[in-house]
Amino acid sequence: MTTPTYHSSTSNMAFHLKDALHQLYYDPNIENKNLAQKWLMQAQVSPQAWQFCWVLLRPEKVPEIQYFGASALHTKISRYWGDIPAEQYDTLKMQLFSQIAHFASGSKIVLTRLCVALASLALNMMPEAWPGAVSEMVRMFQEEGGEVDGRARCLALLELLTVLPEEFQTSRLPQYRKGQVRGALGSEWTAVYPLLQQLLRQPDSPPLVKARVLKCLSSWVLLDVPLNESEGLVEASFTALADPELFDTAVEAIVNTISQPDSQRYVNTLLKLVPQVLQLQEQLRDAVQNGDMETSHGICRIAVSLGENHSRALLEQVEHWQSFLALVNMIMFCTGIPGHYPVNETTSSLTLTFWYTLQDDIMSFEAEKQAIYLQVYRPVYFQLVDVLLHKAQFPTDEEYASWSSDEKEQFRIYRVDVSDTLMYVYEMLGAELLSNLYDKLGRVLTNTEPTTTWQDTEALLYGFQSIAETIDVNYSDVIPGLIGLIPRININNVQLADTVMFTIGALAEWLADHPVMLSSVLPLVLQALGNPDLSVSSVSTLKKICRECKYDLPPYAANIVAVSQEVLIKQIHKTSQCMWLMQALGFLLSALPVEEILRNLHSLITPYIQQLEKLAGETPNPSNKLAIIHILGLLSNLFTTLDITKQEEESGENAPPIKSAPPQTGPNPVVVVLQQVFALIQTVLSKWLNDSQVVEAVCAIFEKSVKTLLHDFAPMVSQLSEMLGQMYSTIPQASALDLTRQMVHIFASETNHFPPIKALFESVTSVTLTIFQQGPRDHPDIVDSFMQLQAQALKRKPDLFLSESLDVKAVFHCGVLSLKFPEAPTVKSTCLFFTELIPRCADIPPVGQVVQEDGKLLLLAVLEAIGGQSSRSLMDQFAEVLFCLNKHCFALLTVWLKEALRSPGFPSSRVSNEQKDTFSQQVLRERVNKRRVKDIVKEFTLVCRGLHGTEYAADY
């Protein structure tokens, strides 16, 4: 498509617009579509738009072209109001009235855009330039005349009145104007209300008109119209619920009206609404009986919005307690609506937030008042628990098998919501709730009647699990009984077995305090480990038990390790569960004496080491790569949790001395194993050095070990530093830099380990500097990790920058280059590096020298970024670099800023010299308040980008 200039004539422009719109709507080529769209957006904001938009609205044009003309008008009025001379306001207004009258019986989409344009005009003129705007709109459209029939005029007026508040909600009026205009609109409700009331109550009003009236009401209540001033319309909306054609819009109107925050002030009106909502119960029951989900859903929304938004106000009307209780029971009916969510009903989920709100309101009363309310509402909440557990029940196996995967996922999320609600309800009902559940479970399990199903058992256990997962149940006297009941459950179904597992997992902390009960449940968990269908629940439960109860598990350790080994060898579980299982074993082994840890490690790891030796000898291919990464992952996860240092710490507080293992002597078992497999890992690396995923997996073993062992890792520092240096110098990978950063963090400050760490740091820095010389753009991950490493070195051991072998100047220049990368994480890491480097100017001479000599280059890069070269989301980071320069290099920055901003068009052609001077003065003034510098930079970047004062800046 040829792009015309904006100096072409209006008719010429209209021709090009027709062409561009045709391309946008009908051209199959996506590039042409995008080009057309870009050009059309430019055309919309061009000065010529004022002329061509009227040409495009001519009757002979097709609706697509007319629509574009109307949209262009709206864009010019809403975004470029300042361009319109005040003397043209009235002409523009009358032109728009004329166009709306014309399109009242024409294209609906064009009519709506024209109404939005007039609404925008009204909002910009109100209240001074167009007092009584809404009254004039009503009057203009009620006048007889023209060829447009009354019904079309009426619908056009309703469309205009509907879009007016909507346009106000999305307008970008300045804050002070927003308040003025809201007040002016609010005072005009008196002109709108009688019209809507008349049209809604008029027997001969067509359904379409009534539907538009209800939509208009929905729109106006967003302006916080006082509830008592729309009371008659709300009553009429309740009447409209009986008409199937109006039902949906009536529901929206009622819900929007009573959901307005301001409406709680009008208690008398709210009290009148309660019986109107209660009168809908018969319609609700009929809808449920007839399977009419839309109607039951709509009525439920009305009941819930009244209860949820106004429960406190209605609770406080003590003399009306029975009617509010009736509303609560109506919502309870909606919660327990028959059928399974989401297949047979989608209503019950709407009610859950109400129960939180009601509970919060009751519990917020002072003690005496609260006690009175609890007498009434505790029984209601016990009933709610029964209803929720019934709703959380699985359907029959046959029915569940017929559900789609999406329905099953929605049901799973629904059960999580039910679980959260039960946990919250426990705050009100306390220990009595657990006793209640326990009694029911006991009855279900001892009941020999055929009516009892596995679903009943599962739901009650799910209730226990929901509460025990997050609430401390250590003091409950029913948990021992529950643990005693669990082995009696006839587990003949996967869902039930899953819930049994998760319930045991939720009680792991309780088991740590009552270890005698472990023997009741551990066999169930170990048995479930062998079932692939119970993979997630059994492995996560074993992991929780091993983490919480490790000091009580030594008697069971051999059995746990044996079963775990068996399921790992049989490859029953997916990769992530295998990793969890290794973490569980790490926790388990941590509590054993060193000799036992080593013996178990030997039997556990030997098969994998043998497999790894075999794989290391093979020619690299995709399948053995996956096997290698899997084995390395298993080792990583095992070493993540195998931490014998915690024994001494925990034995004093959490575990009696009798339970803890004796203090360990000699090297850490993890270090022993790592030293044994070190040569093998080097062999694997030599074959796979080109593969970043394998290198990452190798680095992860050491990184997780270093994080867990901290200073116990010391014996390996020297050989790992050497291997990392060789590895990185052969083929640089970001994961090697991340591991180096971890080593610097922990060991750089230790005299014994400083030499190998220093050698490693210098080596990887030197190699990375070479990458920068060759072109670093293809390696943003390496640059990112390199900058993080340099920042860590400056933070932990700035002496590293005193070394003659380290080219500080080159590192500085790499940083300046990295600030210009398009990848946000890389730029953030680089800014972090500079905020660590600049404060070292005084105490590290090489740093001081390079900043003095080349600091202006850094400032130029920062100003370029602020000028528009970098994403606006990164401005806080650049502001921090600027703040650091100001705080630590004030004299230099004063000179550099002056020199840099003197260049014409820098950092942006959109800023004047005066604006640059203001920015410079503001920055130099702030040497303490970092937050203020961030605000100054944000303001300046908007000016540089030409966005200051536009709608794009509003949310920034």
Side-chain angles (χ1 to χ4, degrees):
M1 173 184 158
T2 55
T3 308
T5 64
Y6 292 129
H7 302 293
S8 48
S9 69
T10 304
S11 57
N12 204 15
M13 189 75 161
F15 172 77
H16 284 302
L17 282 162
K18 184 181 173 186
D19 196 30
L21 285 163
H22 189 273
Q23 265 187 314
L24 181 66
Y25 289 119
Y26 305 111
D27 195 320
N29 185 316
I30 195 72
E31 281 186 24
N32 288 348
K33 278 182 185 292
N34 291 340
L35 197 64
Q37 187 171 21
K38 192 176 175 184
W39 185 83
L40 286 165
M41 286 171 75
Q42 289 175 329
Q44 260 191 341
V45 300
S46 71
Q48 280 74 22
W50 285 119
Q51 283 77 45
F52 72 63
C53 56
W54 302 110
V55 175
L56 300 183
L57 284 165
R58 286 176 184 165
E60 70 272 10
K61 303 291 183 190
V62 293
E64 289 95 330
I65 290 176
Q66 293 171 332
Y67 178 82
F68 183 78
S71 291
L73 261 177
H74 173 245
T75 302
K76 295 299 283 184
I77 293 168
S78 61
R79 286 207 215 159
Y80 300 93
W81 178 250
D83 296 352
I84 309 172
E87 61 272 15
Q88 288 185 20
Y89 291 172
D90 282 340
T91 312
L92 185 55
K93 177 178 41 168
M94 296 319 292
Q95 280 178 299
L96 280 166
F97 270 128
S98 167
Q99 289 289 346
I100 289 170
H102 171 73
F103 278 96
S105 49
S107 167
K108 172 77 173 66
I109 58 165
V110 181
L111 172 67
T112 300
R113 288 319 286 166
L114 287 167
C115 287
V116 172
L118 181 56
S120 186
L121 181 84
L123 295 174
N124 278 295
M125 289 175 71
M126 289 167 78
E128 296 88 358
W130 192 0
V134 179
S135 306
E136 187 178 338
M137 290 174 187
V138 173
R139 193 173 61 253
M140 290 281 289
F141 281 92
Q142 282 182 327
E143 286 173 4
E144 294 292 331
E147 299 162 13
V148 185
D149 70 76
R151 183 179 160 195
R153 273 205 323 278
C154 175
L155 288 170
L157 173 59
L158 287 171
E159 185 66 24
L160 178 57
L161 293 177
T162 302
V163 300
L164 186 60
E166 290 169 356
E167 180 66 8
F168 173 76
Q169 301 296 338
T170 57
S171 71
R172 301 283 181 167
L173 293 169
Q175 210 52 47
Y176 79 96
R177 284 274 299 135
K178 219 154 192 181
Q180 284 179 344
V181 175
R182 180 185 282 275
L185 280 172
S187 66
E188 296 258 30
W189 175 239
T190 49
V192 179
Y193 179 81
L195 171 73
L196 301 186
Q197 181 87 316
Q198 179 195 350
L199 290 170
L200 202 52
R201 291 199 162 159
Q202 226 165 264
D204 59 343
S205 279
L208 181 59
V209 170
K210 288 186 176 181
R212 292 286 172 81
V213 168
L214 291 165
K215 204 173 167 211
C216 189
L217 171 62
S218 277
S219 181
W220 274 82
V221 294
L222 296 174
L223 296 171
D224 294 331
V225 170
L227 185 61
N228 60 345
E229 289 182 20
S230 56
E231 203 175 296
L233 277 173
V234 178
E235 277 180 33
S237 302
F238 272 97
T239 308
L241 290 169
D243 184 340
E245 281 188 77
L246 300 177
F247 182 82
D248 289 342
T249 36
V251 168
E252 287 303 324
I254 295 166
V255 168
N256 286 338
T257 307
I258 54 187
S259 299
Q260 286 311 305
D262 193 50
S263 57
Q264 60 196 1
R265 290 167 45 204
Y266 305 97
V267 177
N268 289 334
T269 306
L270 290 172
L271 287 170
K272 289 179 194 170
L273 291 176
V274 175
Q276 292 186 62
V277 174
L278 294 175
Q279 279 173 8
L280 299 172
Q281 287 181 96
E282 190 179 340
Q283 191 180 354
L284 172 62
R285 287 200 170 88
D286 288 347
V288 169
Q289 205 167 351
N290 299 327
D292 180 355
M293 284 166 70
E294 282 76 17
T295 301
S296 55
H297 197 81
I299 294 172
C300 172
R301 280 185 64 203
I302 293 170
V304 168
S305 64
L306 181 60
E308 199 174 297
N309 289 290
H310 306 295
S311 67
R312 189 177 185 92
L314 294 169
L315 275 169
E316 286 179 331
Q317 307 309 306
V318 182
E319 65 278 19
H320 297 278
W321 71 272
Q322 285 171 307
S323 64
F324 183 60
L325 183 59
L327 177 66
V328 171
N329 284 325
M330 181 179 176
I331 296 172
M332 180 77 79
F333 174 81
C334 295
T335 305
I337 207 160
H340 285 288
Y341 182 96
V343 177
N344 317 110
E345 63 91 8
T346 54
T347 298
S348 57
S349 61
L350 299 178
T351 65
L352 299 181
T353 317
F354 164 74
W355 298 109
Y356 286 79
T357 308
L358 178 61
Q359 180 176 323
D360 283 345
D361 289 336
I362 292 169
M363 302 306 277
S364 68
F365 289 131
E366 40 84 16
E368 202 174 321
K369 196 173 179 183
Q370 187 188 111
I372 297 166
Y373 281 102
L374 285 175
Q375 280 184 335
V376 176
Y377 285 99
R378 270 177 71 86
V380 172
Y381 272 83
F382 274 113
Q383 184 193 347
L384 174 67
V385 171
D386 291 344
V387 167
L388 289 175
L389 290 177
H390 182 72
K391 290 298 295 180
Q393 281 189 15
F394 279 90
T396 62
D397 295 341
E398 190 182 355
E399 192 182 338
Y400 190 65
S402 72
W403 286 10
S404 68
S405 57
D406 187 47
E407 286 166 340
K408 287 176 181 175
E409 177 59 12
Q410 283 185 57
F411 181 59
R412 185 194 67 77
I413 294 166
Y414 175 73
R415 276 172 52 101
V416 171
D417 293 340
V418 167
S419 171
D420 291 343
T421 311
L422 289 170
M423 179 195 77
Y424 205 74
V425 168
Y426 179 84
E427 299 290 330
M428 179 193 272
L429 302 181
E432 197 182 334
L433 172 55
L434 290 177
S435 304
N436 188 295
L437 292 174
Y438 175 66
D439 292 344
K440 286 193 171 107
L441 185 63
R443 286 199 296 276
V444 165
L445 291 177
T446 53
N447 189 352
T448 50
E449 291 177 31
T451 51
T452 307
T453 63
W454 68 263
Q455 284 93 337
D456 297 311
T457 308
E458 190 279 334
L460 287 165
L461 275 178
Y462 187 66
F464 266 113
Q465 178 207 324
S466 303
I467 295 159
E469 245 171 359
T470 43
I471 308 267
D472 182 4
V473 293
N474 275 10
Y475 304 104
S476 168
D477 54 0
V478 303
I479 303 297
L482 172 65
I483 297 280
L485 284 176
I486 284 175
R488 296 181 57 178
I489 296 170
N490 175 24
I491 302 175
N492 54 4
N493 173 281
V494 170
Q495 281 88 16
L496 176 58
D498 255 338
T499 302
V500 168
M501 283 302 112
F502 284 127
T503 305
I504 295 169
L507 295 170
E509 283 184 46
W510 185 90
L511 288 165
D513 289 336
H514 305 83
V516 71
M517 304 300 280
L518 275 167
S519 58
S520 301
V521 292
L522 202 52
L524 287 174
V525 178
L526 294 178
Q527 186 186 344
L529 272 184
N531 185 343
D533 291 332
L534 304 178
S535 183
V536 173
S537 60
S538 62
V539 174
S540 68
T541 295
L542 182 64
K543 183 180 164 184
K544 283 180 182 174
I545 289 174
C546 289
R547 185 180 65 215
E548 302 299 335
C549 312
K550 61 184 172 188
Y551 296 113
D552 304 295
L553 291 177
Y556 311 97
N559 196 16
I560 294 172
V561 172
V563 173
S564 300
Q565 271 187 285
E566 189 185 342
V567 298
L568 284 165
I569 288 163
K570 287 182 179 173
Q571 299 182 338
I572 283 171
H573 302 290
K574 288 181 181 172
T575 301
S576 53
Q577 276 71 55
C578 292
M579 302 307 158
W580 291 358
L581 191 49
M582 279 302 207
Q583 288 179 22
L585 294 171
F587 286 124
L588 173 74
L589 297 180
S590 299
L592 301 180
V594 168
E595 310 78 61
E596 281 189 48
I597 295 176
L598 287 168
R599 190 165 62 249
N600 278 293
L601 279 176
H602 180 72
S603 68
L604 189 60
I605 290 174
T606 301
Y608 293 111
I609 300 304
Q610 289 169 349
Q611 199 183 342
L612 196 59
E613 282 172 343
K614 180 174 170 288
L615 291 165
E618 293 175 6
T619 309
N621 66 60
S623 87
N624 59 24
K625 170 186 164 175
L626 287 175
I628 287 170
I629 289 173
H630 181 74
I631 293 168
L632 295 173
L634 292 174
L635 295 176
S636 288
N637 280 279
L638 178 63
F639 297 157
T640 301
T641 54
L642 208 171
D643 187 6
I644 61 170
T645 57
K646 292 271 173 74
Q647 290 182 357
E648 295 88 44
E649 293 167 26
E650 292 180 5
S651 62
E653 290 174 36
N654 302 353
I658 234 162
K659 290 167 89 174
S660 68
Q664 310 290 358
T665 54
N668 189 294
V670 173
V671 173
V672 173
V673 173
L674 283 175
Q675 286 174 326
Q676 286 171 357
V677 299
F678 198 81
L680 174 58
I681 287 173
Q682 283 182 304
T683 309
V684 170
L685 263 180
S686 65
K687 284 268 184 77
W688 290 90
L689 207 47
N690 278 313
D691 193 293
S692 63
Q693 287 172 301
V694 175
V695 172
E696 220 168 279
V698 168
C699 289
I701 289 182
F702 293 107
E703 194 172 351
K704 287 178 178 177
S705 303
V706 170
K707 277 182 181 170
T708 307
L709 302 181
L710 300 174
H711 297 287
D712 275 6
F713 190 81
M716 297 219 56
V717 169
S718 186
Q719 60 191 130
L720 180 58
S721 298
E722 192 181 340
M723 184 185 93
L724 263 179
Q726 290 168 353
M727 197 169 100
Y728 191 75
S729 58
T730 312
I731 294 184
Q733 308 261 15
S735 50
L737 289 173
D738 296 334
L739 178 51
T740 303
R741 186 177 84 245
Q742 199 68 38
M743 301 273 282
V744 167
H745 176 67
I746 295 167
F747 295 108
S749 302
E750 295 191 9
T751 314
N752 299 350
H753 301 301
F754 184 65
I757 294 291
K758 178 174 178 281
L760 171 61
F761 179 71
E762 287 172 1
S763 166
V764 297
T765 300
S766 170
V767 171
T768 312
L769 292 177
T770 310
I771 293 174
F772 270 91
Q773 286 168 359
Q774 294 162 353
R777 272 302 303 119
D778 296 335
H779 309 284
D781 55 335
I782 289 179
V783 175
D784 185 357
S785 296
F786 178 65
M787 286 299 148
Q788 288 185 52
L789 168 62
Q790 298 297 319
Q792 184 68 265
L794 285 158
K795 196 173 188 175
R796 298 294 292 180
K797 192 68 175 171
D799 290 5
L800 287 164
F801 277 70
L802 289 168
S803 166
E804 289 180 9
S805 310
L806 192 79
D807 191 342
V808 177
K809 193 180 182 79
V811 172
F812 182 89
H813 281 270
C814 290
V816 172
L817 192 61
S818 306
L819 285 177
K820 300 175 185 181
F821 271 48
E823 292 82 7
T826 305
V827 177
K828 283 184 182 177
S829 300
T830 309
C831 288
L832 175 68
F833 160 64
F834 280 117
T835 57
E836 292 291 347
L837 180 96
I838 296 162
R840 301 288 176 190
C841 284
D843 50 344
I844 306 284
V847 171
Q849 187 181 345
V850 74
V851 170
Q852 188 154 6
E853 290 172 4
D854 298 330
K856 186 180 172 185
L857 293 174
L858 169 61
L859 176 68
L860 290 170
V862 169
L863 290 174
E864 271 178 31
I866 295 168
Q869 293 300 311
S870 279
S871 162
R872 277 160 54 200
S873 65
L874 294 165
M875 289 306 111
D876 276 0
Q877 282 76 18
F878 284 108
E880 291 200 12
V881 177
L882 205 51
F883 179 75
C884 266
L885 283 168
N886 197 26
K887 192 173 179 181
H888 299 281
C889 314
F890 177 72
L892 291 166
L893 181 65
T894 309
V895 177
W896 295 337
L897 262 178
K898 193 174 180 182
E899 290 173 358
L901 294 175
R902 196 182 294 148
S903 304
F906 182 84
S908 161
S909 56
R910 292 188 179 90
V911 284
S912 64
N913 288 333
E914 190 184 347
Q915 286 168 320
K916 290 198 267 192
D917 288 344
T918 304
F919 170 69
S920 179
Q921 288 161 17
Q922 286 177 326
V923 168
L924 292 170
R925 205 179 295 134
E926 295 296 341
R927 298 180 68 188
V928 178
N929 190 340
K930 192 191 291 183
R931 180 73 262 159
R932 176 75 188 115
V933 175
K934 288 180 178 180
D935 292 340
I936 292 163
V937 167
K938 279 184 179 176
E939 190 81 5
F940 189 61
T941 198
L942 289 172
V943 176
C944 288
R945 294 162 198 261
L947 297 174
H948 194 264
T950 68
E951 59 188 275
Y952 300 104
D955 299 324
Y956 181 48

